[in-house]
Amino acid sequence: MGFHYDDQNIFAKILRGEIPNNTVYESDHALAFRDLYPQAPTHVLVIPKGPYVSMDHFTQDASEAEIVGFMRAIGEVCKLEGVSDAGFRAISNAGADGVQEVPHLHVHILGGRPLGRMLAPET
Ligand code: AMP
């Protein structure tokens, strides 16, 4: 399957500085900012700066420097947000079944309260 990246997605616009964001952390390869509609006291989105749609796209096509930079950014965000002791959840939705809304890879870092089971029961 080929991956198609739409450079008009909202996170691409954030990366180009066309719309504002509440930055938590930035490095050469990653940007982390607060989710506009937080679902927990900590709700930060970590995105790579490169044009990758999803985790599978990124881990197939990104360079080793990009992958290392992105994963390190997740660690930095956990440290900055102070969620390591109590715990947190890292989620990356992809595609239709994953109910991905924004087609630029992002990892949600959620914490600051007990988060319940990983998935809601099937409805
Ligand atoms: P997903 O369903 O995994 O694609 O999640 C997309 C997330 O992006 C949602 O949690 C939204 O609340 C969040 N979001 C959408 N637009 C913005 C924005 N401009 N700034 C920050 N977060 C956003």
Side-chain angles (χ1 to χ4, degrees), residues 10-11 14 19-21 33-39 43 45 92-93 98-103 106 108:
I10 198 142
F11 295 168
I14 285 177
I19 61 170
N21 74 92
F33 52 92
R34 297 202 186 280
D35 196 291
L36 208 51
Y37 304 101
Q39 296 182 44
H43 189 169
L45 301 172
S92 187
N93 300 316
V99 196
Q100 180 179 11
E101 290 169 15
V102 180
H106 48 285
H108 299 253

Side-chain angles (χ1 to χ4, degrees), residues 48-122:
K49 288 190 169 176
Y52 302 102
V53 176
S54 54
M55 186 66 85
D56 50 341
H57 185 197
F58 183 68
T59 52
Q60 287 172 44
D61 288 0
S63 69
E64 295 194 3
E66 288 176 300
I67 292 171
V68 170
F70 180 64
M71 296 306 288
R72 291 273 190 224
I74 291 173
E76 290 299 326
V77 167
C78 290
K79 187 160 58 178
L80 288 167
E81 292 295 300
V83 294
S84 294
D85 285 348
F88 64 94
R89 186 168 294 153
I91 298 174
S92 187
N93 300 316
D97 280 358
V99 196
Q100 180 179 11
E101 290 169 15
V102 180
H104 182 113
L105 169 60
H106 48 285
V107 171
H108 299 253
I109 302 295
L110 294 147
R113 67 166 171 83
L115 295 165
R117 292 180 65 83
M118 187 167 65
L119 293 178
E122 234 175 317

